[in-house]
Amino acid sequence: MILIDWITELINNIPTLLDYIVLGYIFLSSYYWTSFIKFESSKIFIIKSIIISYILQNFYNVTILCLIPKKLTTSIHITILLYVITLILGLGLGRICHTVWFGDLLIKLNLGRTLNSNIWDDIFKSGTVLRIYMKDGSSYIGQYCKSEEHTREPLILLNNYQKWNKNDEIVLDYFDDKDRFVLLNTKDFESIRIDYSHCNDEKERKMKK
């Protein structure tokens, strides 16, 4: 009998429980999706959802819901509206936090880091010339085009490139051919020399992976 009463009470409180989870769950799911962030364990995710739901619910109470007659705040239409707004907020924030200008803003504010999930997103800029030394002794010089996002060992695409052998001799020369590309895997890199002079930055640095 006690068990049945407990189950009945739980069922009756499902709408209340959802109120403390759904908003945060929608926000985190959309933010993680657009940011390519891996989901944590279910327990951690639910805890975060509850915290974010509490924050969002209070935010909506002093913004959107205070402009609506109280008797309408619990209507299904308003609930769906809040869900849609939360989804848009999650998607929008996920996009904004991983834009170049937002990363530059964090750097200018001397916060010491950006929100990029790996160092490669911070290092490589459009127009950067790379000298990539491979583990087999060969190397490549080329202009950075793009790289795989949100992974610690991305694939790097170069054009206008040259390939050098172990004896520092050119074996492939497409430096003046903008239509030639080479795709390299960073897990095969020994080191990289980065030249920012082609993107209005006079710095050059060598980084050991």
Side-chain angles (χ1 to χ4, degrees):
M1 189 68 178
I2 296 177
L3 179 59
I4 296 176
D5 291 340
W6 181 83
I7 293 175
T8 303
E9 185 178 354
L10 179 62
I11 293 174
N12 292 333
N13 284 285
I14 284 178
T16 303
L17 293 174
L18 290 177
D19 287 340
Y20 285 102
I21 296 177
V22 174
L23 288 176
Y25 188 92
I26 293 173
F27 179 87
L28 279 181
S29 297
S30 57
Y31 178 81
Y32 281 16
W33 180 79
T34 195
S35 302
F36 294 89
I37 297 175
K38 293 183 179 179
F39 283 75
E40 308 100 333
S41 66
S42 298
K43 182 178 180 180
I44 295 176
F45 192 79
I46 290 175
I47 291 174
K48 287 185 176 181
S49 297
I50 292 173
I51 294 172
I52 294 176
S53 290
Y54 177 79
I55 295 172
L56 288 174
Q57 190 61 58
N58 281 279
F59 172 74
Y60 293 150
N61 285 339
V62 298
T63 54
I64 299 173
L65 296 180
C66 69
L67 302 176
I68 300 172
K70 191 172 182 179
K71 62 181 181 180
L72 297 178
T73 56
T74 57
S75 71
I76 186 64
H77 299 92
I78 298 300
T79 300
I80 293 174
L81 174 63
L82 295 182
Y83 289 169
V84 172
I85 292 174
T86 301
L87 176 65
I88 295 173
L89 285 176
L91 293 173
L93 188 62
R95 294 289 296 177
I96 291 172
C97 288
H98 293 87
T99 56
V100 174
W101 69 264
F102 189 79
D104 291 340
L105 176 63
L106 293 180
I107 293 173
K108 290 178 181 179
L109 293 175
N110 295 318
L111 296 180
R113 62 160 297 164
T114 67
L115 293 181
N116 289 329
S117 59
N118 62 72
I119 191 173
W120 305 108
D121 294 335
D122 291 325
I123 291 177
F124 297 141
K125 301 178 181 178
S126 180
T128 302
V129 173
L130 306 177
R131 176 72 182 267
I132 300 173
Y133 297 88
M134 310 298 288
K135 292 179 180 179
D136 63 3
S138 63
S139 64
Y140 292 83
I141 296 178
Q143 191 169 18
Y144 167 74
C145 293
K146 59 179 65 177
S147 63
E148 198 175 9
E149 295 183 344
H150 309 292
T151 176
R152 295 190 178 279
E153 293 185 334
L155 299 175
I156 304 296
L157 186 68
L158 303 179
N159 72 338
N160 297 95
Y161 74 94
Q162 296 174 328
K163 182 178 180 179
W164 299 61
N165 61 19
K166 296 179 181 180
N167 300 318
D168 219 22
E169 299 170 334
I170 298 176
V171 293
L172 291 174
D173 190 355
Y174 302 116
F175 199 77
D176 296 320
D177 189 348
K178 65 180 181 179
D179 296 321
R180 290 280 185 169
F181 299 85
V182 61
L183 189 65
L184 304 173
N185 196 323
T186 53
K187 71 179 181 180
D188 299 321
F189 292 4
E190 181 66 31
S191 63
I192 307 174
R193 186 176 294 277
I194 306 172
D195 181 4
Y196 291 103
S197 60
H198 290 265
C199 46
N200 299 321
D201 192 338
E202 296 284 328
K203 298 182 293 182
E204 185 184 55
R205 48 186 167 168
K206 188 173 182 180
M207 181 194 71
K208 289 287 182 180
K209 188 184 175 190

